[in-house]
């Protein structure tokens, strides 16, 4: 931390254009390692190779992003006043394991571009992806201590968060961890915080929607990254009168998904990140069934023999479609973070759709499907979420 503090002054004194140029070179270095890091990502956290490659492509494709960042950092004159963007100091970046490369960049690039020094504490689940990402960026910076790597578990993160010489913490992760950071961050000094936390995103499907597209999107964004995404679609509310037809489309869509080793061709759902996560998903589904939900589809999963697994199946969980899910069930209230498509019904009124969508303490994203754009807009305006898609994710 003290090394970062010492390096920060000289880094912040560099012209904005020079700092952004260094970041572009760092991304170019990362681009040269795209293929090998994508494979490493599959090995560390399990996502299919195609999804890992997609993450790497998006991670290094930041030219427009850096253009916007550079422009936003310029001093601006308003009358006789000048607005100057000054660095805060030392920033701790704590990325999640589900997007172990791109999330580092989304948190670290604006901090570095603004003239801060950064300490990255990768998830202990994906330490090597974190190390490779930091090394690529670091190699383009004028001083080693501008960007540092600090490996470890939550105890290491806690020490960084409460350190008196840390000026800001940027973290993506669970709401539980976010609350802990909120508590710790003010114990020694008042830190700035950027927190992206949990979600339980709803999708509303009215009877005038394009049901084929709605089912496609609902399944795709329930199962992407095996459902391990903060803004996964985790609650689908479909108008009762079209329930059967919608479920037919859903069953057609899920048949295209295969669970297996992320390095195996044609696999598009990998294992869950850990035995604990597999147990959480299994428990949620089992409890929902006990309380009246129905499983209308479950995919196959690899056999231990086929994957040379010694622990009874690894962390694979079958693609699952649940119907008759009610608001009182835990699977309707708490993040699932697994390959589960949850379908509930509503009476077709805008009021009930809005009530169900907002029946959550979370508020990341949501979507509304209807060909009546005025109705969709009314509903979207009343959903308490940071972003709302109309006929799209």
């Amino acid at each position: 931390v003290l090394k970062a503090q010492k390096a920060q002054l000289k880094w912040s004194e560099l012209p904005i254009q020079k700092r952004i140029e260094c970041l572009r070179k760092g991304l170019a270095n990362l681009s040269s390692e795209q293929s090998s890091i994508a494979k490493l990502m599959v090995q560390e956290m399990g996502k299919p190779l195609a999804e890992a490659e997609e993450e790497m492509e998006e991670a290094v494709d930041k030219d427009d992003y850096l253009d916007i960042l550079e422009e936003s950092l310029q001093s601006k004159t308003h009358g006789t006043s000048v607005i100057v963007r000054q660095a805060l100091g030392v920033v701790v970046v704590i990325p999640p394991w589900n997007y172990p490369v791109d999330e580092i960049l989304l948190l670290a690039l604006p901090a570095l571009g603004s003239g801060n020094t950064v300490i990255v504490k990768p998830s202990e689940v994906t330490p090597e992806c974190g190390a490779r990402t930091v090394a690529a960026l670091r190699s383009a910076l004028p001083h080693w201590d501008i960007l540092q790597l600090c490996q470890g578990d939550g105890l290491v993160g806690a020490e960084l968060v409460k350190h008196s010489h840390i000026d800001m913490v940027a973290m993506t992760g669970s709401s539980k961890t976010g609350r802990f950071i909120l508590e710790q961050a003010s114990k020694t000094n008042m830190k700035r915080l950027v927190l992206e936390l949990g979600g339980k995103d709803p999708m509303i499907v009215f009877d005038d929607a394009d049901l084929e597209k709605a089912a496609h999107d609902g399944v795709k964004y329930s199962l992407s990254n095996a459902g391990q995404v903060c803004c996964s679609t985790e609650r689908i509310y479909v108008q009762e009168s079209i329930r059967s037809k919608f479920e037919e489309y859903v069953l057609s869509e899920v048949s295209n998904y295969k669970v297996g080793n992320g390095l195996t061709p044609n696999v598009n759902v990998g294992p869950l990140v850990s035995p604990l996560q597999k147990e959480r998903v299994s428990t949620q589904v089992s409890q929902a069934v006990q309380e009246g939900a129905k499983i209308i589809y479950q995919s196959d999963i690899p056999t231990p023999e086929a994957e040379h697994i010694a622990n009874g199946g690894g962390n694979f969980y079958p693609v699952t479609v649940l119907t008759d899910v009610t608001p009182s069930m835990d699977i309707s209230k708490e993040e699932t973070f697994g390959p589960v498509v949850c379908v509930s019904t509503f009476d077709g009124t805008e009021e009930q759709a809005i009530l169900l969508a907002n029946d959550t303490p979370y508020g990341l994203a949501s979507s509304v499907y209807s060909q009546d754009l005025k109705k969709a807009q009314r509903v979207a305006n009343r959903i308490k979420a940071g972003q709302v898609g109309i006929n799209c994710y």
Side-chain angles (χ1 to χ4, degrees):
V1 173
L2 296 180
K3 288 180 180 179
Q5 195 174 38
K6 184 177 179 180
Q8 191 270 323
L9 182 59
K10 286 187 177 180
W11 173 240
S12 66
E13 288 177 344
L14 281 179
I16 296 168
Q17 185 178 6
K18 178 63 177 176
R19 295 200 299 263
I20 297 297
E21 182 183 325
C22 289
L23 298 181
R24 291 188 195 279
K25 289 179 179 178
L27 290 175
N29 295 342
L30 186 63
S31 179
S32 69
E33 301 183 53
Q34 270 184 251
S35 179
S36 62
I37 296 178
K39 291 177 182 176
L40 176 63
M41 196 183 301
V42 178
Q43 294 168 332
E44 281 201 304
M45 60 76 57
K47 69 172 61 178
L49 182 59
E51 290 189 6
E53 290 173 339
E54 182 180 3
E55 177 177 342
M56 290 304 302
E57 289 170 6
E58 293 180 359
V60 300
D61 184 17
K62 292 284 193 292
D63 281 344
D64 290 345
Y65 181 91
L66 291 176
D67 287 344
I68 294 169
L69 177 60
E70 184 174 355
E71 171 60 27
S72 71
L73 294 173
Q74 302 297 329
S75 299
K76 292 179 173 60
T77 301
H78 290 270
T80 59
S81 299
V82 179
I83 298 174
V84 179
R85 305 288 184 183
Q86 292 185 325
L88 291 173
V90 182
V91 177
V92 167
V93 164
I94 304 177
W97 48 261
N98 55 347
Y99 290 92
V101 173
D102 202 26
E103 281 288 339
I104 290 177
L105 301 176
L106 291 173
L107 296 172
L109 290 178
L112 289 166
S114 301
N116 302 286
T117 47
V118 170
I119 300 171
V120 176
K121 203 248 18 123
S123 167
E124 61 271 31
V125 176
T126 53
E128 291 302 317
C129 283
R132 294 279 295 276
T133 304
V134 169
L137 284 180
R138 202 178 194 186
S139 63
L141 300 176
H143 194 285
W144 199 244
D145 294 332
I146 293 169
L147 176 63
Q148 296 182 71
L149 179 72
C150 188
Q151 299 279 22
D153 59 11
L155 294 176
V156 174
E159 290 299 317
L160 288 170
V161 166
K162 67 185 181 183
H163 197 289
S164 61
H165 294 300
I166 297 299
D167 299 286
M168 180 177 179
V169 177
M171 170 267 191
T172 299
S174 70
S175 296
K176 180 181 178 181
T177 303
R179 292 190 192 97
F180 176 79
I181 289 175
L182 280 170
E183 293 171 358
Q184 297 295 314
S186 62
K187 287 195 170 182
T188 53
N189 62 315
M190 297 294 287
K191 299 175 177 67
R192 305 284 184 94
L193 298 176
V194 173
L195 304 174
E196 187 208 321
L197 308 177
K200 194 70 185 173
D201 293 359
M203 174 181 178
I204 297 169
V205 185
F206 285 98
D207 63 356
D208 60 349
D210 180 339
L211 296 189
E212 192 170 359
K213 184 179 191 310
H216 170 81
D217 289 357
V219 169
K220 179 178 180 180
Y221 296 111
S222 294
L223 302 182
S224 178
N225 204 14
Q228 299 170 124
V229 185
C230 295
C231 49
S232 283
T233 297
E234 294 211 356
R235 297 178 291 145
I236 301 176
Y237 298 108
V238 59
Q239 189 165 333
E240 178 65 46
S241 61
I242 55 166
R243 167 184 173 166
S244 296
K245 191 65 176 176
F246 182 78
E247 288 177 1
E248 287 178 18
Y249 281 123
V250 166
L251 291 175
S252 175
E253 289 290 335
V254 294
S255 66
N256 298 317
Y257 286 81
K258 180 181 179 181
V259 179
N261 185 321
L263 294 174
T264 302
N266 300 319
V267 163
N268 45 14
V269 177
L272 296 178
V273 72
S274 66
L276 178 60
Q277 186 58 31
K278 178 183 176 181
E279 179 61 28
R280 285 173 177 165
V281 175
S282 179
T283 298
Q284 271 199 355
V285 171
S286 297
Q287 287 179 348
V289 171
Q290 290 172 11
E291 294 170 13
K294 295 177 183 176
I295 295 176
I296 63 170
Y297 177 85
Q298 271 196 322
S299 70
D300 294 328
I301 60 173
T303 62
E305 295 79 12
E307 294 292 337
H308 306 289
I309 299 168
N311 65 347
N315 300 329
F316 297 109
Y317 191 83
V319 169
T320 301
V321 180
L322 276 179
T323 62
D324 295 335
V325 178
T326 62
S328 63
M329 296 175 182
D330 190 58
I331 203 166
S332 286
K333 297 185 290 186
E334 299 297 331
E335 276 191 296
T336 301
F337 246 55
V340 183
V341 182
C342 286
V343 181
S344 305
T345 60
F346 71 104
D347 63 11
T349 64
E350 295 177 31
E351 289 300 321
Q352 190 179 39
I354 293 162
L355 184 68
L356 289 168
N358 289 336
D359 186 21
T360 177
Y362 302 104
L364 272 183
S366 59
S367 55
V368 181
Y369 285 73
S370 170
Q371 295 188 59
D372 182 343
L373 295 183
K374 290 184 178 179
K375 175 172 68 177
Q377 187 69 61
R378 285 195 303 270
V379 173
N381 286 341
R382 294 179 60 189
I383 293 177
K384 297 176 181 178
Q387 62 184 47
V388 184
I390 293 180
N391 296 320
C392 64
Y393 175 69

